[in-house]
Amino acid sequence: MLFQHEPELDAFLEFLIWRFSIWVDKPTPGIALMNLRYTDERAVALRGKVRTGLEGPGLTFAQKMWYCVAAVGGQYIWARLQSFSAFRRWGNSEQRPLARRAWGLMQRIEGLFKAASFGNLLIFLYTGRYRNLIERSLQARLVYESPNMNRAVSFEYMNRQLVWNEFSEMLLLLLPLLNSSTVKSFLHPFSKDKSSSSKEDDSICPICWASPTLVYLALPCRHRYCYYCLRTRCAAVPSFQCSRCSKPVVAMQRHGSDVEHKTQSQ
C-alpha cells in the first residue's frame, strides 16, 4: 500500500519541509548548518555599493507559492504521469499513435530538463548562484545568514564519522567475499575440539564442518562430503584434492549407491 502511494507520501513530506521552512522564512536544518538563507535577488540594487552577500530581503509571497507549486506539485505530477504512462505502456509500438506521441514527448521533455539541469550545474559551479532551475527561475538566492558562524560540528565527531565510514566501507567490501564455510574451515585448526575421535571427524564434511544432509563420497579415497560442497569445489578447481588425504578427486558417488558421477577434473 505504501509503495502504491509513494508519490503522495513524497509530496506530503516536501510540503511539510516547505511549510515549516520557506513559508515562515526559516532555513531547513541543512541550510541552517551552512549558515544560509533565501533572499530575493531581484530586490537587491547594486547602486555602486560593495556587496557583502548578506543584504537583501527574504522571498516574497509569490516566490514562496511558486516554489511550492514547482517543488511539490511539479514533482508529484511528473512522478504520477511517469507511473501512469509506464502502467499503460505508452511506449509500446502496439499502442495508439496518440499514446506513442505522448510517450515520445515525455522523453524529449525529460531529456531537455536533464540537459538544462546539467547546464545550470556548470553555471552554478562557475558563479556560485542558483543551485537548481527552480531557484534560477524564481531568482531565489542563498546568502549568508550572519557574517560569523560558530562550528556546529566538533572535529572529534567528524573524525569519528570518517573512521566509522572507512571501517563500514571495508566491511561492505570484505563480507561478500567471505562465507560461513570459509570461516569455519579457517578456524577449525584453532578450535578447542581436538580431542574428538576420528570416527566423529569422518562423519562431518571437511569443507563446511557440518553434518552432511546429502552425503556424497569422494573417489577414490571415499571420504564423506556434502553434495553441494564437493560439487562446487570440483567444478571450481580443475584438479581438486581431498581435504582429508590430499588425493585427487576423480569422481563422486552418493553414499549407499553404486552410480558414480565424473567430476570436471577429468
Side-chain angles (χ1 to χ4, degrees):
M1 182 180 65
L2 293 178
F3 179 76
Q4 294 177 355
H5 300 284
E6 184 177 0
E8 285 78 10
L9 294 176
D10 292 339
F12 179 69
L13 293 177
E14 291 289 342
F15 175 78
L16 289 180
I17 294 174
W18 170 85
R19 171 62 180 83
F20 294 102
S21 59
I22 297 177
W23 178 251
V24 294
D25 293 325
K26 291 184 179 180
T28 60
I31 294 178
L33 285 176
M34 294 184 289
N35 188 31
L36 298 175
R37 69 178 179 90
Y38 274 113
T39 183
D40 186 6
E41 188 72 5
R42 301 172 301 177
V44 178
L46 293 177
R47 299 179 183 177
K49 297 181 180 180
V50 178
R51 297 184 57 181
T52 62
L54 301 176
E55 61 277 337
L59 300 182
T60 62
F61 175 80
Q63 285 177 315
K64 296 176 183 179
M65 294 303 299
W66 280 113
Y67 192 97
C68 178
V69 170
V72 181
Q75 293 183 7
Y76 169 71
I77 293 174
W78 183 255
R80 270 303 176 194
L81 185 60
Q82 282 187 324
S83 61
F84 180 79
S85 60
F87 178 76
R88 296 287 183 174
R89 298 181 180 179
W90 284 2
N92 196 340
S93 59
E94 299 179 358
Q95 290 289 343
R96 294 173 297 178
L98 182 60
R100 292 200 302 268
R101 286 197 297 268
W103 176 261
L105 180 61
M106 289 179 54
Q107 297 300 314
R108 285 193 291 270
I109 292 175
E110 185 177 6
L112 291 175
F113 179 79
K114 290 182 178 180
S117 299
F118 180 72
N120 181 80
L121 174 62
L122 297 179
I123 298 174
F124 170 74
L125 294 176
Y126 181 74
T127 62
R129 298 183 181 180
Y130 311 126
R131 300 174 303 166
N132 50 51
L133 295 177
I134 298 177
E135 295 180 0
R136 181 170 295 277
S137 60
L138 298 177
Q139 294 188 8
R141 185 184 178 186
L142 287 171
V143 298
Y144 288 115
E145 177 71 23
S146 61
N148 300 320
M149 175 184 176
N150 296 327
R151 180 177 292 276
V153 182
S154 63
F155 283 109
E156 291 79 8
Y157 177 78
M158 296 174 63
N159 290 333
R160 288 196 299 268
Q161 286 295 109
L162 290 175
V163 172
W164 175 249
N165 288 338
E166 294 298 329
F167 180 69
S168 60
E169 289 181 1
M170 183 185 68
L171 289 180
L172 292 176
L173 176 65
L174 295 179
L175 286 179
L177 304 178
L178 303 176
N179 52 53
S180 59
S181 301
T182 305
V183 175
K184 288 181 180 179
S185 300
F186 178 76
L187 297 179
H188 182 72
F190 306 98
S191 63
K192 297 181 181 179
D193 192 15
K194 294 183 178 180
S195 61
S196 59
S197 62
S198 60
K199 181 178 180 180
E200 292 178 347
D201 291 338
D202 189 62
S203 63
I204 63 176
C205 175
I207 296 178
C208 65
W209 298 104
S211 180
T213 55
L214 185 59
V215 184
Y216 265 72
L217 304 177
L219 300 180
C221 62
R222 303 187 66 82
H223 285 127
R224 297 185 178 187
Y225 286 85
C226 298
Y227 170 77
Y228 176 77
C229 296
L230 183 60
R231 190 74 182 96
T232 52
R233 289 299 176 90
C234 291
V237 182
S239 57
F240 173 67
Q241 297 179 354
C242 178
S243 301
R244 295 189 183 278
C245 60
S246 300
K247 292 183 179 180
V249 178
V250 298
M252 52 187 296
Q253 176 184 339
R254 185 168 183 176
H255 183 62
S257 175
D258 296 332
V259 181
E260 296 183 2
H261 301 277
K262 302 296 181 179
T263 65
Q264 293 184 357
S265 60
Q266 290 183 336

mmCIF file of all heavy atoms in Angstrom, residues 60-81:
data_model
loop_
_atom_site.group_PDB
_atom_site.id
_atom_site.type_symbol
_atom_site.label_atom_id
_atom_site.label_comp_id
_atom_site.label_asym_id
_atom_site.label_seq_id
_atom_site.Cartn_x
_atom_site.Cartn_y
_atom_site.Cartn_z
ATOM 1 N N THR A 60 9.399 36.775 -1.504
ATOM 2 C CA THR A 60 8.065 37.351 -1.484
ATOM 3 C C THR A 60 7.015 36.250 -1.408
ATOM 4 O O THR A 60 7.310 35.053 -1.524
ATOM 5 C CB THR A 60 7.847 38.205 -2.735
ATOM 6 O OG1 THR A 60 7.939 37.358 -3.894
ATOM 7 C CG2 THR A 60 8.892 39.313 -2.838
ATOM 8 N N PHE A 61 5.766 36.657 -1.232
ATOM 9 C CA PHE A 61 4.671 35.695 -1.163
ATOM 10 C C PHE A 61 4.548 34.917 -2.471
ATOM 11 O O PHE A 61 4.344 33.694 -2.467
ATOM 12 C CB PHE A 61 3.362 36.436 -0.858
ATOM 13 C CG PHE A 61 2.147 35.559 -0.885
ATOM 14 C CD1 PHE A 61 1.835 34.751 0.195
ATOM 15 C CD2 PHE A 61 1.322 35.523 -2.008
ATOM 16 C CE1 PHE A 61 0.711 33.927 0.161
ATOM 17 C CE2 PHE A 61 0.209 34.704 -2.040
ATOM 18 C CZ PHE A 61 -0.100 33.908 -0.949
ATOM 19 N N ALA A 62 4.683 35.615 -3.597
ATOM 20 C CA ALA A 62 4.577 34.942 -4.891
ATOM 21 C C ALA A 62 5.711 33.942 -5.090
ATOM 22 O O ALA A 62 5.500 32.835 -5.620
ATOM 23 C CB ALA A 62 4.571 35.986 -6.010
ATOM 24 N N GLN A 63 6.918 34.304 -4.694
ATOM 25 C CA GLN A 63 8.048 33.385 -4.843
ATOM 26 C C GLN A 63 7.853 32.131 -3.985
ATOM 27 O O GLN A 63 8.168 31.018 -4.426
ATOM 28 C CB GLN A 63 9.346 34.091 -4.454
ATOM 29 C CG GLN A 63 9.850 35.082 -5.491
ATOM 30 C CD GLN A 63 11.092 35.803 -5.015
ATOM 31 O OE1 GLN A 63 11.160 36.264 -3.873
ATOM 32 N NE2 GLN A 63 12.071 35.916 -5.888
ATOM 33 N N LYS A 64 7.347 32.300 -2.783
ATOM 34 C CA LYS A 64 7.097 31.141 -1.925
ATOM 35 C C LYS A 64 6.050 30.212 -2.527
ATOM 36 O O LYS A 64 6.214 28.979 -2.522
ATOM 37 C CB LYS A 64 6.654 31.612 -0.542
ATOM 38 C CG LYS A 64 7.702 32.392 0.226
ATOM 39 C CD LYS A 64 7.139 32.896 1.546
ATOM 40 C CE LYS A 64 8.150 33.740 2.303
ATOM 41 N NZ LYS A 64 7.604 34.259 3.578
ATOM 42 N N MET A 65 4.972 30.793 -3.053
ATOM 43 C CA MET A 65 3.920 29.966 -3.630
ATOM 44 C C MET A 65 4.398 29.249 -4.878
ATOM 45 O O MET A 65 4.116 28.058 -5.068
ATOM 46 C CB MET A 65 2.700 30.836 -3.939
ATOM 47 C CG MET A 65 2.015 31.419 -2.708
ATOM 48 S SD MET A 65 1.478 30.143 -1.530
ATOM 49 C CE MET A 65 0.335 29.210 -2.542
ATOM 50 N N TRP A 66 5.118 29.959 -5.746
ATOM 51 C CA TRP A 66 5.623 29.320 -6.955
ATOM 52 C C TRP A 66 6.669 28.251 -6.618
ATOM 53 O O TRP A 66 6.766 27.245 -7.321
ATOM 54 C CB TRP A 66 6.213 30.357 -7.909
ATOM 55 C CG TRP A 66 5.183 31.084 -8.706
ATOM 56 C CD1 TRP A 66 4.856 32.406 -8.632
ATOM 57 C CD2 TRP A 66 4.337 30.516 -9.715
ATOM 58 N NE1 TRP A 66 3.862 32.711 -9.526
ATOM 59 C CE2 TRP A 66 3.523 31.563 -10.208
ATOM 60 C CE3 TRP A 66 4.174 29.239 -10.249
ATOM 61 C CZ2 TRP A 66 2.573 31.358 -11.203
ATOM 62 C CZ3 TRP A 66 3.222 29.030 -11.236
ATOM 63 C CH2 TRP A 66 2.442 30.080 -11.705
ATOM 64 N N TYR A 67 7.434 28.448 -5.576
ATOM 65 C CA TYR A 67 8.386 27.429 -5.149
ATOM 66 C C TYR A 67 7.648 26.160 -4.723
ATOM 67 O O TYR A 67 8.055 25.044 -5.058
ATOM 68 C CB TYR A 67 9.234 27.961 -3.991
ATOM 69 C CG TYR A 67 10.422 27.101 -3.656
ATOM 70 C CD1 TYR A 67 11.677 27.393 -4.154
ATOM 71 C CD2 TYR A 67 10.279 25.976 -2.838
ATOM 72 C CE1 TYR A 67 12.767 26.597 -3.858
ATOM 73 C CE2 TYR A 67 11.357 25.173 -2.536
ATOM 74 C CZ TYR A 67 12.605 25.494 -3.039
ATOM 75 O OH TYR A 67 13.677 24.687 -2.740
ATOM 76 N N CYS A 68 6.539 26.340 -3.989
ATOM 77 C CA CYS A 68 5.741 25.178 -3.582
ATOM 78 C C CYS A 68 5.131 24.482 -4.790
ATOM 79 O O CYS A 68 5.124 23.253 -4.877
ATOM 80 C CB CYS A 68 4.663 25.622 -2.599
ATOM 81 S SG CYS A 68 3.564 24.293 -2.049
ATOM 82 N N VAL A 69 4.613 25.267 -5.729
ATOM 83 C CA VAL A 69 3.992 24.674 -6.918
ATOM 84 C C VAL A 69 5.009 23.874 -7.719
ATOM 85 O O VAL A 69 4.732 22.758 -8.187
ATOM 86 C CB VAL A 69 3.355 25.777 -7.779
ATOM 87 C CG1 VAL A 69 2.913 25.215 -9.127
ATOM 88 C CG2 VAL A 69 2.167 26.396 -7.055
ATOM 89 N N ALA A 70 6.221 24.422 -7.882
ATOM 90 C CA ALA A 70 7.229 23.744 -8.692
ATOM 91 C C ALA A 70 7.857 22.563 -7.962
ATOM 92 O O ALA A 70 8.002 21.473 -8.533
ATOM 93 C CB ALA A 70 8.306 24.741 -9.111
ATOM 94 N N ALA A 71 8.251 22.773 -6.702
ATOM 95 C CA ALA A 71 8.972 21.735 -5.977
ATOM 96 C C ALA A 71 8.069 20.605 -5.498
ATOM 97 O O ALA A 71 8.477 19.440 -5.478
ATOM 98 C CB ALA A 71 9.720 22.337 -4.785
ATOM 99 N N VAL A 72 6.838 20.933 -5.105
ATOM 100 C CA VAL A 72 5.927 19.924 -4.576
ATOM 101 C C VAL A 72 4.977 19.420 -5.664
ATOM 102 O O VAL A 72 4.942 18.235 -5.989
ATOM 103 C CB VAL A 72 5.137 20.479 -3.382
ATOM 104 C CG1 VAL A 72 4.199 19.411 -2.824
ATOM 105 C CG2 VAL A 72 6.084 20.968 -2.292
ATOM 106 N N GLY A 73 4.200 20.361 -6.251
ATOM 107 C CA GLY A 73 3.216 19.948 -7.251
ATOM 108 C C GLY A 73 3.835 19.449 -8.534
ATOM 109 O O GLY A 73 3.382 18.445 -9.109
ATOM 110 N N GLY A 74 4.887 20.125 -9.014
ATOM 111 C CA GLY A 74 5.505 19.703 -10.272
ATOM 112 C C GLY A 74 6.113 18.317 -10.189
ATOM 113 O O GLY A 74 5.915 17.483 -11.083
ATOM 114 N N GLN A 75 6.848 18.045 -9.122
ATOM 115 C CA GLN A 75 7.453 16.723 -8.972
ATOM 116 C C GLN A 75 6.395 15.640 -8.799
ATOM 117 O O GLN A 75 6.541 14.524 -9.315
ATOM 118 C CB GLN A 75 8.415 16.734 -7.785
ATOM 119 C CG GLN A 75 9.638 17.614 -7.984
ATOM 120 C CD GLN A 75 10.602 17.534 -6.817
ATOM 121 O OE1 GLN A 75 10.434 16.727 -5.893
ATOM 122 N NE2 GLN A 75 11.619 18.376 -6.845
ATOM 123 N N TYR A 76 5.320 15.952 -8.074
ATOM 124 C CA TYR A 76 4.270 14.949 -7.873
ATOM 125 C C TYR A 76 3.555 14.629 -9.188
ATOM 126 O O TYR A 76 3.328 13.460 -9.512
ATOM 127 C CB TYR A 76 3.261 15.452 -6.844
ATOM 128 C CG TYR A 76 2.011 14.611 -6.780
ATOM 129 C CD1 TYR A 76 2.044 13.341 -6.233
ATOM 130 C CD2 TYR A 76 0.807 15.092 -7.297
ATOM 131 C CE1 TYR A 76 0.895 12.558 -6.184
ATOM 132 C CE2 TYR A 76 -0.341 14.320 -7.244
ATOM 133 C CZ TYR A 76 -0.284 13.053 -6.692
ATOM 134 O OH TYR A 76 -1.408 12.285 -6.652
ATOM 135 N N ILE A 77 3.209 15.657 -9.953
ATOM 136 C CA ILE A 77 2.510 15.436 -11.227
ATOM 137 C C ILE A 77 3.386 14.643 -12.184
ATOM 138 O O ILE A 77 2.933 13.713 -12.868
ATOM 139 C CB ILE A 77 2.081 16.779 -11.832
ATOM 140 C CG1 ILE A 77 1.004 17.435 -10.959
ATOM 141 C CG2 ILE A 77 1.561 16.598 -13.252
ATOM 142 C CD1 ILE A 77 0.618 18.827 -11.403
ATOM 143 N N TRP A 78 4.681 14.976 -12.234
ATOM 144 C CA TRP A 78 5.572 14.270 -13.150
ATOM 145 C C TRP A 78 5.751 12.811 -12.727
ATOM 146 O O TRP A 78 5.788 11.906 -13.584
ATOM 147 C CB TRP A 78 6.910 14.989 -13.212
ATOM 148 C CG TRP A 78 7.865 14.377 -14.184
ATOM 149 C CD1 TRP A 78 8.955 13.604 -13.912
ATOM 150 C CD2 TRP A 78 7.786 14.447 -15.613
ATOM 151 N NE1 TRP A 78 9.567 13.203 -15.067
ATOM 152 C CE2 TRP A 78 8.870 13.709 -16.127
ATOM 153 C CE3 TRP A 78 6.902 15.078 -16.491
ATOM 154 C CZ2 TRP A 78 9.100 13.587 -17.496
ATOM 155 C CZ3 TRP A 78 7.143 14.949 -17.849
ATOM 156 C CH2 TRP A 78 8.217 14.213 -18.342
ATOM 157 N N ALA A 79 5.870 12.547 -11.425
ATOM 158 C CA ALA A 79 6.017 11.172 -10.954
ATOM 159 C C ALA A 79 4.766 10.359 -11.258
ATOM 160 O O ALA A 79 4.860 9.200 -11.707
ATOM 161 C CB ALA A 79 6.321 11.160 -9.456
ATOM 162 N N ARG A 80 3.589 10.931 -11.055
ATOM 163 C CA ARG A 80 2.356 10.226 -11.356
ATOM 164 C C ARG A 80 2.193 10.001 -12.858
ATOM 165 O O ARG A 80 1.714 8.956 -13.295
ATOM 166 C CB ARG A 80 1.158 11.004 -10.806
ATOM 167 C CG ARG A 80 0.765 10.634 -9.393
ATOM 168 C CD ARG A 80 0.480 9.169 -9.333
ATOM 169 N NE ARG A 80 0.175 8.693 -7.990
ATOM 170 C CZ ARG A 80 0.146 7.422 -7.658
ATOM 171 N NH1 ARG A 80 0.436 6.492 -8.559
ATOM 172 N NH2 ARG A 80 -0.146 7.034 -6.449
ATOM 173 N N LEU A 81 2.589 10.979 -13.651
ATOM 174 C CA LEU A 81 2.479 10.826 -15.099
ATOM 175 C C LEU A 81 3.405 9.735 -15.602
ATOM 176 O O LEU A 81 3.037 8.941 -16.484
ATOM 177 C CB LEU A 81 2.804 12.159 -15.774
ATOM 178 C CG LEU A 81 2.618 12.228 -17.296
ATOM 179 C CD1 LEU A 81 1.172 11.931 -17.677
ATOM 180 C CD2 LEU A 81 3.042 13.590 -17.828
#
